[in-house]
């Protein structure tokens, strides 16, 4: 079924919505003329922008929306075709930039049935799996549009129609499209929460597997953390079992350490939104951490990076748990203090707990943030970003990003002191 037929079927079929035909005929003709201009990219870009403005003003009738959206898709497909034929084209970039900026208005202001149809078409484009040059390029080109559309989407029916294609797009294909599909799912979970309950049994196990995929691990962790607070206890328990199984596995080679690290990062990502629900996992997590810290004594510190990352993230989880459920750590405090203090930590540890900086939010919670990359290349010898950066006041949780094992020892000892004081009182 062609796009025009699809829109006619969806928009006219369920037509309980009433829209007044307020749009000036000349305005509509100008938009259509701009989108269908044969070779001027400024016209194409302005056409995309003008549709968004008209929708925000509430002027297009149902029939007008149908025609404008059809003309929009017609133009975007031609623009992608131009991209296939020409490696670099400024007009293509400008048109997609304006289209991406229009997605918020599309998500908020299209009529419900038109919005559902638009969302499904968009999700299918980012999930395009064809072998031709056009099919290979389309997912990459539509990635940002999908992400922006989902960011402002608050309609369950539209989200429900998009989810199957987004899950498939996240599982394989163009990396940029995979990341955007996961970001779109994250936005849907954030905006709609419990309304997506009926999809949790499909969505959470699927994205849970992707936290171990190095190409999209960060986006997958964000998606898991967004869905996790509202999933059923059974789904959450299954997710926790999966994380602990990977985290507790052996670390005999780089691949196994990588899988353990991904599990630790996912555990940390869940502390902020799901701290209380993680409490049953704390004893097992601490057992694994103590074993891994002790195993670290035998690591060849000439090449410590992967194991260092693993231990850093596990200790970041301890810092998060101290905020959320300190009482659950009490049985393990002495053993952890002994393990940390008896280990000859190399100077590399003084760089701070990698991962904690990107997982601490202003409220003291912890989550994985793809916008922050705390690798050594981002920091100068004096601790500032880029050497010549200006120094500004930072939050307490930002300072926590630079905790060392010695700092964590102080915090554990402080917690013991608090417990002793409470007992005396």
């Amino acid at each position: 079924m062609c796009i025009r037929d699809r829109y006619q079927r969806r928009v006219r079929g369920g037509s309980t919505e009433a829209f007044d035909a307020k749009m000036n005929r000349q305005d509509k003709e100008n938009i259509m003329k701009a989108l269908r201009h044969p070779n001027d990219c400024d016209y194409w870009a302005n056409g995309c922008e003008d549709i968004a403005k008209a929708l925000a003003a509430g002027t297009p009738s149902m029939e007008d929306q149908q025609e404008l959206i059809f003309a929009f898709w017609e133009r975007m497909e031609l623009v992608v075709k131009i991209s296939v034929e020409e490696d670099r084209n400024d007009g293509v970039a400008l048109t997609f930039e304006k289209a991406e900026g229009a997605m918020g208005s599309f998500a908020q202001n299209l009529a419900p049935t038109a919005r559902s149809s638009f969302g499904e078409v968009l999700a299918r484009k980012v999930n395009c799996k064809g072998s031709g040059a056009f099919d290979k390029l389309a997912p990459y080109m539509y990635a940002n549009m999908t992400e922006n559309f989902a960011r402002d989407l608050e309609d369950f029916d539209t989200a429900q129609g998009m989810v199957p294609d987004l899950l498939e797009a996240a599982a394989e294909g163009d990396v940029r499209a995979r990341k955007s599909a996961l970001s779109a799912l994250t936005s849907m979970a954030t905006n709609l929460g419990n309304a997506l309950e009926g999809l949790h049994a499909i969505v959470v196990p699927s994205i849970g597997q992707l936290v171990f995929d190095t190409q999209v691990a960060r986006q997958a962790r964000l998606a898991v953390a967004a869905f996790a607070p509202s999933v059923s206890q059974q789904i959450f328990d299954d997710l926790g079992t999966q994380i602990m199984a990977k985290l507790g596995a052996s670390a005999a080679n780089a691949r196994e350490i990588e899988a353990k690290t991904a599990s630790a990062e996912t555990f940390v990502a869940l502390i902020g939104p799901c701290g209380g629900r993680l409490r049953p996992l704390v004893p097992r997590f601490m057992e694994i951490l103590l074993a891994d810290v002790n195993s670290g004594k035998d690591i060849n510190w000439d090449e410590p990076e992967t194991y260092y990352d693993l231990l850093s993230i596990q200790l970041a989880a301890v810092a998060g748990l101290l905020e959320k459920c300190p009482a659950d750590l009490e049985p393990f405090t002495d053993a952890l203090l002994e393990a940390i203090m008896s280990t000859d930590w190399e100077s590399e540890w003084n760089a701070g707990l990698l991962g904690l900086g990107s997982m601490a939010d202003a409220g003291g919670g912890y989550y994985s943030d793809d916008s922050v990359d705390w690798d050594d290349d981002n920091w100068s010898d004096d601790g500032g970003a880029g050497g010549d950066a200006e120094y500004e006041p930072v939050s307490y949780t930002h300072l926590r990003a630079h905790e060392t094992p010695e700092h964590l020892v102080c915090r554990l000892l402080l917690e013991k002191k608090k417990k002793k004081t409470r007992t005396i009182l």
Side-chain angles (χ1 to χ4, degrees):
M1 181 180 292
C2 70
I3 294 175
R4 182 186 294 276
D5 290 341
R6 175 183 176 77
Y7 272 91
Q8 288 175 340
R9 178 173 62 86
R10 290 297 298 272
V11 174
R12 294 177 180 173
S15 187
T16 57
E17 305 122 341
F19 285 81
D20 295 330
K22 304 173 185 175
M23 191 173 192
N24 182 285
R25 293 296 96 188
Q26 187 61 50
D27 290 342
K28 175 184 171 183
E29 289 175 10
N30 288 341
I31 294 175
M32 301 291 280
K33 184 177 179 180
L35 289 172
R36 290 170 175 167
H37 196 282
N39 53 24
D40 194 320
C41 61
D42 288 332
Y43 277 96
W44 307 339
N46 290 337
C48 296
E49 195 170 44
D50 289 343
I51 292 178
K53 291 178 180 178
L55 289 171
T59 56
S61 66
M62 285 292 298
E63 185 176 352
D64 288 338
Q65 288 189 31
Q66 175 187 328
E67 293 184 36
L68 290 171
I69 294 302
F70 174 76
F72 172 84
W73 282 128
E74 193 175 46
R75 169 47 57 194
M76 298 312 296
E77 290 183 4
L78 289 172
V79 170
V80 174
K81 184 178 179 180
I82 293 172
S83 297
V84 173
E85 296 169 351
E86 303 176 23
D87 290 338
R88 295 180 62 86
N89 186 300
D90 292 338
V92 168
L94 178 62
T95 304
F96 265 90
E97 180 183 337
K98 294 295 186 181
E100 290 161 9
M103 289 300 99
S105 181
F106 281 42
Q108 294 174 342
N109 301 312
L110 277 172
T113 49
R115 179 169 51 235
S116 293
S117 295
F118 183 88
E120 290 178 26
V121 172
L122 184 57
R124 266 208 296 275
K125 288 183 179 296
V126 85
N127 184 36
C128 187
K129 294 291 194 296
S131 58
F134 179 93
D135 295 331
K136 289 181 178 179
L137 184 62
Y140 173 83
M141 300 292 287
Y142 289 109
N144 285 343
M145 284 175 57
T146 305
E147 200 169 333
N148 291 356
F149 182 79
R151 189 175 296 134
D152 290 299
L153 181 64
E154 298 181 353
D155 174 34
F156 168 75
D157 289 335
T158 303
Q160 185 179 37
M162 295 177 69
V163 163
D165 279 301
L166 291 178
L167 286 176
E168 288 187 16
E172 60 179 351
D174 176 80
V175 175
R176 181 70 190 88
R178 296 182 69 196
K179 290 180 177 181
S180 288
L182 286 166
S183 295
L185 289 166
T186 301
S187 295
M188 290 176 181
T190 302
N191 295 342
L192 294 167
N194 291 329
L196 296 176
E197 182 179 358
L199 303 176
H200 287 165
I202 299 172
V203 175
V204 176
S206 297
I207 59 179
Q209 293 293 331
L210 297 178
V211 301
F212 306 105
D213 186 325
T214 55
Q215 288 187 328
V216 294
R218 288 180 176 180
Q219 289 77 17
R221 288 196 299 273
L222 283 169
V224 167
F227 277 97
S230 56
V231 301
S232 69
Q233 191 60 47
Q234 181 60 55
I235 294 175
F236 190 86
D237 289 344
D238 291 344
L239 179 64
T241 300
Q242 178 188 15
I243 293 170
M244 288 298 107
K246 293 279 188 178
L247 188 59
S250 63
N253 54 56
R255 176 172 290 186
E256 291 177 350
I257 293 176
E258 195 174 81
K260 283 173 67 71
T261 302
S263 299
E265 289 173 326
T266 306
F267 185 84
V268 174
L270 293 174
I271 291 175
C274 308
R277 301 182 83 179
L278 288 173
R279 292 182 66 182
L281 302 178
V282 170
R284 177 58 181 151
F285 173 80
M286 294 303 296
E287 290 174 5
I288 295 169
L289 170 58
L290 290 169
D292 288 341
V293 169
N294 287 319
S295 297
K297 299 175 185 178
D298 302 322
I299 294 296
N300 176 11
W301 284 93
D302 291 333
E303 298 179 359
E305 184 175 345
T306 54
Y307 209 84
Y308 166 53
D309 286 353
L310 169 62
L311 294 181
S312 298
I313 294 163
Q314 287 175 301
L315 291 180
V318 174
L321 293 171
L322 280 171
E323 292 282 342
K324 293 290 184 178
C325 49
D328 293 278
L329 295 183
E330 288 178 3
F332 307 94
T333 300
D334 290 337
L336 182 58
L337 283 169
E338 181 181 352
I340 293 176
M341 296 178 71
S342 65
T343 301
D344 182 19
W345 304 108
E346 294 292 328
S347 60
E348 296 234 12
W349 279 88
N350 293 328
L353 295 178
L354 292 183
L356 181 54
S358 60
M359 297 169 189
D361 69 0
Y366 292 82
Y367 58 88
S368 174
D369 185 352
D370 187 47
S371 66
V372 184
D373 187 3
W374 292 83
D375 58 40
D376 293 338
D377 294 338
N378 291 337
W379 295 90
S380 60
D381 291 339
D382 63 1
D388 296 327
E390 296 181 5
Y391 292 93
E392 298 179 357
V394 295
S395 67
Y396 166 70
T397 49
H398 180 87
L399 293 175
R400 291 271 298 281
H402 304 285
E403 286 194 69
T404 63
E406 291 83 355
H407 297 148
L408 188 57
V409 166
C410 293
R411 297 188 64 219
L412 289 167
L413 289 171
L414 179 60
E415 195 60 40
K416 284 175 64 70
K417 182 179 178 181
K418 288 180 182 177
K419 178 187 175 185
K420 185 176 181 181
T421 302
R422 287 195 298 267
T423 302
I424 293 174
L425 293 177

